[in-house]
Amino acid sequence: MIMINAYAADSAGAELKPFSYDPGALKSDQVEIAVEYCGLCHSDLSVVNDEWGMTAFPVVPGHEVVGKIAAVGAGVTHLKKGQRVGLGWHAGFCGHCGECDTGNQNLCAEAQPTIIGHHGGFADTVRASAESVVPIPDGLDPKVVGPLFCAGITVYNPLVQFDIKPNSRVAVIGIGGLGHLALQFLNAWGCEVTAFTSSDSKREEALALGAHHTLNSRDPEALAAAAGQFDLIISTVNVKLDWNTYLTTLKPRGRLHFVGATTEPLDLNVFNLLLSQRQVSGSPVGSPATIADMLEFAARHKIAPKVEHFPMSKINEAFARLESGEARYRIVLEAGK
């Protein structure tokens, strides 16, 4: 019997405790990853707290995994033992639906989330389908790259899906775990980048991260002056805002795009959409191919998450730090410590 040693919560909101489980025989299409680092994402907190009503307990969170392949299934030919790879939100796909067949595995209705009904990466090892695992290119620091497998791809994916041009004017709502990466990607993409922020300290940080401008989201005059400016606004927050005000800052045919998981209904004035043919949309993480492209882009442009490190043994302290909202900007747990 091979046991995987992990940290798990056994009920909603519970602290994580040492937990061991038998993963069974390695399937022919799977790999086993020896975890080196694993990012801590707000989605991990949501799953532990069962905020989405889909958590299976005991739950082992962790879906921003970086490690080396420790074993490969008999049918895996494109990955090899000892190769450094990453694993994000998905640990497997059906492989035969229309979305999988067209390279959009992230939209597969039967995709297996890494931390829902599956044990994740807050462990010494984790298993996943080989097609959901992405090699990490040279030039990316394994100590910090983990958050790119969730936060990074979440903000990068819209640039690809909506064919954002290098001369586009793009604004970002929320300069946190997602937003600080969005600013970096957009700047490197060539866009004119504006950060919506109401914090003086965040203003300076946003400019340092790649924003060309900041706009005070609590200043009605500043918002009015921005009417019709942006081709795209990316919202990374999980709280309700006055979305109609933000819609007015879009150009005709502009898009308000959600990547932050707000659970409040959207209160939208339809005339704000109709008269200027504006659009509202959302997207999840990207496909494995898009993740691979993102990693290459990040390596080329020296894009990296800003992280705080905790040893895996201090996992509950790390969760408390995340919940406090004071982390700048992501947390990464180091395995074996």
Side-chain angles (χ1 to χ4, degrees), residues 23-33 69 71-77 79 91-92 112 118 126-133:
L26 185 68
K27 296 178 182 178
S28 65
D29 65 341
Q30 286 186 324
V31 297
E32 184 168 284
I33 304 168
I69 294 178
V72 296
V76 177
T77 58
L79 299 170
Q112 172 62 66
H118 181 278
V126 62
R127 290 184 179 180
S129 167
E131 73 169 324
S132 65
V133 172

Side-chain angles (χ1 to χ4, degrees), residues 101-171:
D101 288 344
T102 54
N104 297 299
Q105 295 95 327
N106 57 307
L107 302 179
C108 171
E110 297 180 34
Q112 172 62 66
T114 301
I115 61 172
I116 298 174
H118 181 278
H119 290 319
F122 294 160
D124 53 8
T125 60
V126 62
R127 290 184 179 180
S129 167
E131 73 169 324
S132 65
V133 172
V134 181
I136 296 175
D138 294 338
L140 292 177
D141 184 352
K143 294 181 180 180
V144 303
V145 72
L148 291 183
F149 282 85
C150 183
I153 187 58
T154 296
V155 297
Y156 180 89
N157 195 40
L159 308 186
V160 177
Q161 299 304 320
F162 303 119
D163 193 26
I164 301 303
K165 306 297 184 186
N167 61 350
S168 296
R169 302 180 74 180
V170 183

